[in-house]
Structure formats: structure tokens, C-alpha cells
Amino acid sequence: MSYFGSIGKISYEGKGSDNPLAFKHYNPQEVVLGKTMEDHLRFAIAYWHTFTGTGTDPFGVGTAVRPWDFANPMDTAKARVEANFEFLEKIGVPYYCFHDRDVAPEGSTLQETNKNLDVIADMLEQNMKSSGKKLLWNTANMFTHPRWVHGAGTTSNADVYAYAGAQLKKSLEIGKRLGAENYVFWGGREGYETLLNTDMALELDNLARLFHMCVAYANEIGFDAQFLIEPKPKEPTKHQYDFDAATTIAFLQKYDLQKHFKLNLEANHATLAGHTFDHEIRVAAINGMLGSLDANQGDLLIGWDTDEFPTDLYATTMTMYEVLQAGGIGKGGVNFDAKVRRASFEDEDLFLAHIAGMDSYAWGLKAAAKLIESKALSGFVENRYRSFREGIGADIVAGKASLASLEQYAMQNNPIKNESGRQERLKAIVNEIIFSV
Ligand code: XUL
Ligand code: CO
């Protein structure tokens, strides 16, 4: 059965093309800085937005009527699997990502839910074998069902905590079976609404205990995926514990989990935290914690997680500049955790949206590579910090300085001379390079 019968394989036609169903910049086999675009970007489709999402918002029901929607939830789940693999093939994306509850519906007991998941996992496995498509990561949805009202790993109810453990156990087993390259934890309801009813210390200790159990179980079953935590500052709770990259790294270090985890960073989560995406990537990278990216963008005028497809070339350039400087995305990838707008309800919009996102990242990659090759920014930075390579600066870096030696130096070094940071010139250089791609 074909779900996108009217659409053929999307191919690269280059800059001059005016075919909306073609790539203008994403040319998978094109080599950039010694590696193909496909290998740099490792694109993934987010199952939940593309095949499970319907276009609901807080004021209205779904607008998208998908050809894979049937009356029986298991029929729909099976049809979604077929739609997923047809879509991956046609758009030319090598990876996908899913939550357990995106792919298979909950039953009335955990046993029944697990059985549903097994049926769908069989289908996913078969389709992966025949198509060569791969699982970038899977995760457990422990935020939608009402049982998670007080959280999962940070719930006030030990029975719910036990259910979370059971669900994670199954989810890790599914990840192993499907060869997931990473495994994501996003703490959908791991946060609080009011401190008046919250034991923050116990909640955080319990969350860490659950992560340790996951590490132990993955070891036990030989699941070697990279574990990733996905920070987000707010939404759904007022204050999410994994607020941003720095907070999450501090949590991992406090509980001795840092060896086992990296971060899955998301653009719109960064902006909700009052950061840019490139800031979050830099924080992760300098701590050896850059794991994977959820690619999307927010809206300047809307204060929630709009999960729009990324089209801002300045942002994709800065993102890829950080990724390239960090030495690449490793086992991670660029997952489109993005949804078409509610008014873009036609099936064709799913293709148009991914093409826009993939071309924007390809453009960003090419511009970032040019920035690196030109050394326009790195040369400036190197020169800006040159005072730390000689004299007193070299002593500071070598750990040889003391307050007394700094005083002795400062006393005879009068006046101090500073130099311009040249921010506007550097931004103009970035613009020139973006325009030239
Ligand atoms: C929510 C979000 C999630 C995670 C996976 O904002 O980004 O979809 O990516 O649970
Ligand atoms: Co995400």
C-alpha cells in the first residue's frame, strides 16, 4: 500500500531548480570538508510529529486527515509503520526516531501495552531490514497518560515510579532489538508546579536512581546505545529539572552519571531557556557532552515550544559551525523534532517541510565549512587571546600564577591597553559567507 502515491523520490536538482519537490542544497553525496553531506548531517524523521501528530492546538482539534488513520488503533499503528518507511525512502533520510507510545497504542494493562509494542517492533524490524533505514534513537513517553500527572522519575507516588521503571525496561529492550544508536530521556513531566507541595531533593535523587538503573540494565542486556538527556527549561511543567545544558551537566556530575550520558539538544528548547542553540552546543561540546540535535526553531513572538521546521539560515549556519568545530555530531544526528503548521494539513506539506529543513541545514553546513576554511572567525579568536600564550598570560594558563605574582605584574604594567572585539565586522563576515553559498 502506498500512502504518498502522487509523490516520487525527492532528488537534488541544485540552486537553479524551481521544483518545490526537489532539494536545492542538500546533495547527500557532495563532499564538504572531507565528508559527505549525508554523513555530516545524519538526518532523522520524528515519528511523533510526522506520523502521529494531527495538528491539534489548545483551541482546536486536529486538521490533518492522514490516509493511515483507521478506526482500530492497531490498524493505524501498522499503517503508520508503512507510511514511515515509504516517507524515509522518498525523502532520502537514513534515520528515524520514536517514542514507544507514538508507534503503538497503550492497552488496558502494561502486559497488553507491551504486546502491542512487540507487534509493531516486529514490523519495524522487518522494514528496517528490507529498507536499510536505521533508528537514531528511541525513547519512552512518560508524560502523556494521566498516570504521569506528578511526574515519572520525579513523581510523589512510588507506584508510578515503579511503572516508569517497567516501561523503561521494555523501551531499552526495544532499542536494543532495533539497533538504536542512541537512547533519549526527555523529562516530559520531571519538574514542578509549586514548591509548596514539592520535595525537590527527593525528586532529584530518585531521578538519578532511575538513570542508574537504566545504565545497569543496558549493561546487563548489552545495549550499547549512547544515552542522551534532552534539556528543556519549561513546558509542560513550569520548571523542568533538566533546564538547559549547563544545569543538566551539573546534575549528571553530581550523581556520577556523566560517563554514561551526553546531551540531545533542541533548538527551540535552547531559546525557551534564553539561550541560542549555538550556545547550548558550545556548552555541551566543551564538556565532552555533545550527543545529538533536535532540529527545529521557535517563533520570536510566541513564548512556547512551537517546533517549527528550521528555515533560519543564520541559525543553521551557527549551529553547523559549532558542530564542525566540535569535530562533528558523532553517533548523533539531526532529528527534525518539528511539525508542520496546523494550516499546512496536506500530506504534501510533510515533504515540503522536510525539504525546507534539509536544505536549510545543508546551506548552514556549506556556509559553516566556508567560515572554517576561511579562518575568518577562528583566526580572530586566536589573535584575541594571544596574551595568554606569552608572559604573564602563559603563566596563568600553566597554573604558575598566584595573586602575588599577578600583583607584582599589574603594579608595573600601567596603563593597560584593550582592543576592540569587532563584533559588527565579524557578523558582516558571516553574512557575506552566508550570501556566497
Ligand atoms: C518535547 C520534545 C520531545 C523529545 C522526546 O519538547 O522535544 O519530543 O524530543 O521526548
Ligand atoms: Co525534542
Side-chain angles (χ1 to χ4, degrees), residues 230 266 269 294 337:
E230 184 174 325
E266 176 164 326
H269 296 181
D294 270 9
D337 192 351

Side-chain angles (χ1 to χ4, degrees), residues 125-139:
E125 197 175 5
Q126 280 162 19
N127 276 276
M128 287 170 75
K129 245 182 220 146
S130 58
S131 65
K133 300 296 178 189
K134 292 171 284 185
L135 186 56
L136 186 65
W137 50 261
N138 66 315
T139 184

Side-chain angles (χ1 to χ4, degrees), residues 48 137 186 230 264-266 269 294 296 305 307 335 337:
W48 54 102
W137 50 261
W186 171 59
E230 184 174 325
N264 182 41
L265 299 167
E266 176 164 326
H269 296 181
D294 270 9
N296 58 20
D305 195 13
D307 283 345
N335 168 47
D337 192 351

Side-chain angles (χ1 to χ4, degrees), residues 110-162:
L110 186 55
Q111 286 85 338
E112 203 181 298
T113 302
N114 285 347
K115 222 170 102 194
N116 289 346
L117 195 52
D118 281 332
V119 171
I120 298 302
D122 281 344
M123 273 187 83
L124 291 169
E125 197 175 5
Q126 280 162 19
N127 276 276
M128 287 170 75
K129 245 182 220 146
S130 58
S131 65
K133 300 296 178 189
K134 292 171 284 185
L135 186 56
L136 186 65
W137 50 261
N138 66 315
T139 184
N141 175 333
M142 303 198 298
F143 45 88
T144 299
H145 192 279
R147 80 175 63 83
W148 311 119
V149 62
H150 300 303
T154 60
T155 175
S156 48
N157 181 347
D159 290 353
V160 173
Y161 189 97

Side-chain angles (χ1 to χ4, degrees), residues 42-149:
R42 295 167 56 85
F43 284 131
I45 302 293
Y47 207 95
W48 54 102
H49 286 311
T50 298
F51 304 107
T52 315
T54 57
T56 54
D57 75 7
F59 300 93
V61 296
T63 51
V65 182
R66 301 297 187 203
W68 51 83
D69 283 340
F70 296 104
N72 176 318
M74 275 306 275
D75 289 343
T76 301
K78 289 176 188 169
R80 280 186 186 133
V81 173
E82 289 177 3
N84 175 53
F85 286 93
E86 183 183 346
F87 189 81
L88 290 173
E89 186 53 39
K90 288 188 166 168
I91 197 81
V93 163
Y95 288 99
Y96 71 111
C97 302
F98 68 83
H99 301 82
D100 44 8
R101 305 301 177 247
D102 311 328
V103 293
E106 292 223 9
S108 51
T109 60
L110 186 55
Q111 286 85 338
E112 203 181 298
T113 302
N114 285 347
K115 222 170 102 194
N116 289 346
L117 195 52
D118 281 332
V119 171
I120 298 302
D122 281 344
M123 273 187 83
L124 291 169
E125 197 175 5
Q126 280 162 19
N127 276 276
M128 287 170 75
K129 245 182 220 146
S130 58
S131 65
K133 300 296 178 189
K134 292 171 284 185
L135 186 56
L136 186 65
W137 50 261
N138 66 315
T139 184
N141 175 333
M142 303 198 298
F143 45 88
T144 299
H145 192 279
R147 80 175 63 83
W148 311 119
V149 62

